[in-house]
Amino acid sequence: CLAVAAGLGPCRSWLAIGRWCGTGAPFASRPRVLRQSSPLHDDRTLAEAYFASLGFSDGELSRVNSKYGRRLEFDVERRVKPLLRWLSDLGMTAPEVRKAVVRCPMIFDVDLETISKPVALWLKDLGMDSSQVAKAITMYPQLLSLSLGDNLNPKVQMLRERGFANSQIAKALSRFPQLVGYSMKRLRHRLNVLEGQGRVTDTSWYGCMALTDEKFAVRYGTE
């Protein structure tokens, strides 16, 4: 691998040599759309062209644009490259990064230094290893936009107060990171039901959070 030979390490080999940039910039207003002409995509923005150069298919770019709500207009040097470099440093592979971006392109609107990096460090402090953090971000990239003070810490504290150890919480988040995306009200209510029925098992306490209200009511008899 040319990248390995250049001393970039295996986790960076999926990005072309010479594309690395400096540190991330503070959150700023959305930049104007910059476009780049090409024989096949005359109206492709610079961000779209850059993603394509990293292996994003036309279908993936279309899904990204659809989820973002408009054409990609990220500042490649200040917003895109720093985040992709950091995700690579976390150990995420090229397919994992593409999945994360396609699932939640809004992560490029989140400040890397003050929000995303602290979240990853928080996950490791909770007991998750690097591979688990990479997997969690791939499955639920919205993690990188969640507030520690308003979201993550209060929910984890609530779980601790119910007797869950950090290792149990870390295991749950590594398997089902969407857990922290649900409201506190939902988490408390469903845990109350499970605890009342003595059904807080190794997986049921977080697996049931994905059920619709109707399916939860039927399964646990709360109709």
Side-chain angles (χ1 to χ4, degrees), residues 93-107:
T93 64
E96 288 174 334
V97 169
R98 288 201 300 273
K99 287 179 181 178
V101 172
V102 170
R103 285 170 176 163
C104 187
M106 288 71 72
I107 57 176

Side-chain angles (χ1 to χ4, degrees), residues 2 21 39 101 111-112 115 138 141 151 159 171 176 179 193 195 221:
L2 184 60
C21 60
V101 172
D111 189 80
L112 177 60
I115 300 178
T138 302
N151 189 315
L159 293 174
K171 181 179 180 180
F176 187 60
L179 176 69
V193 171
E195 290 173 349

Side-chain angles (χ1 to χ4, degrees), residues 77-177:
E77 296 298 327
R78 297 178 62 198
R79 309 295 296 180
V80 177
K81 288 184 178 181
L83 178 58
L84 295 185
R85 179 183 62 186
W86 177 66
L87 293 177
S88 175
D89 288 343
L90 282 178
M92 293 178 66
T93 64
E96 288 174 334
V97 169
R98 288 201 300 273
K99 287 179 181 178
V101 172
V102 170
R103 285 170 176 163
C104 187
M106 288 71 72
I107 57 176
F108 290 103
D109 284 334
V110 180
D111 189 80
L112 177 60
E113 298 297 330
T114 64
I115 300 178
S116 298
K117 285 186 177 181
V119 167
L121 181 60
W122 179 86
L123 291 172
K124 289 184 177 181
D125 288 343
L126 195 60
M128 295 172 66
D129 60 32
S130 296
S131 64
Q132 290 175 320
V133 171
K135 180 181 178 182
I137 293 173
T138 302
M139 295 172 62
Y140 189 59
Q142 291 90 333
L143 264 175
L144 299 180
S145 68
L146 299 181
S147 167
L148 291 175
D150 296 333
N151 189 315
L152 299 176
N153 283 329
K155 289 175 181 175
V156 166
Q157 183 58 32
M158 180 270 292
L159 293 174
R160 288 171 178 155
E161 291 172 354
R162 289 172 178 264
F164 292 100
N166 279 357
S167 59
Q168 292 175 298
I169 300 172
K171 181 179 180 180
L173 290 180
S174 68
R175 295 183 175 183
F176 187 60

Side-chain angles (χ1 to χ4, degrees), residues 57-89:
S57 68
D58 287 344
E60 288 172 329
L61 288 176
S62 178
R63 292 195 293 276
V64 169
N65 276 321
S66 177
K67 288 193 175 182
Y68 193 59
R70 57 187 178 280
R71 296 291 298 279
L72 297 183
E73 54 186 34
F74 307 124
D75 186 311
V76 172
E77 296 298 327
R78 297 178 62 198
R79 309 295 296 180
V80 177
K81 288 184 178 181
L83 178 58
L84 295 185
R85 179 183 62 186
W86 177 66
L87 293 177
S88 175
D89 288 343

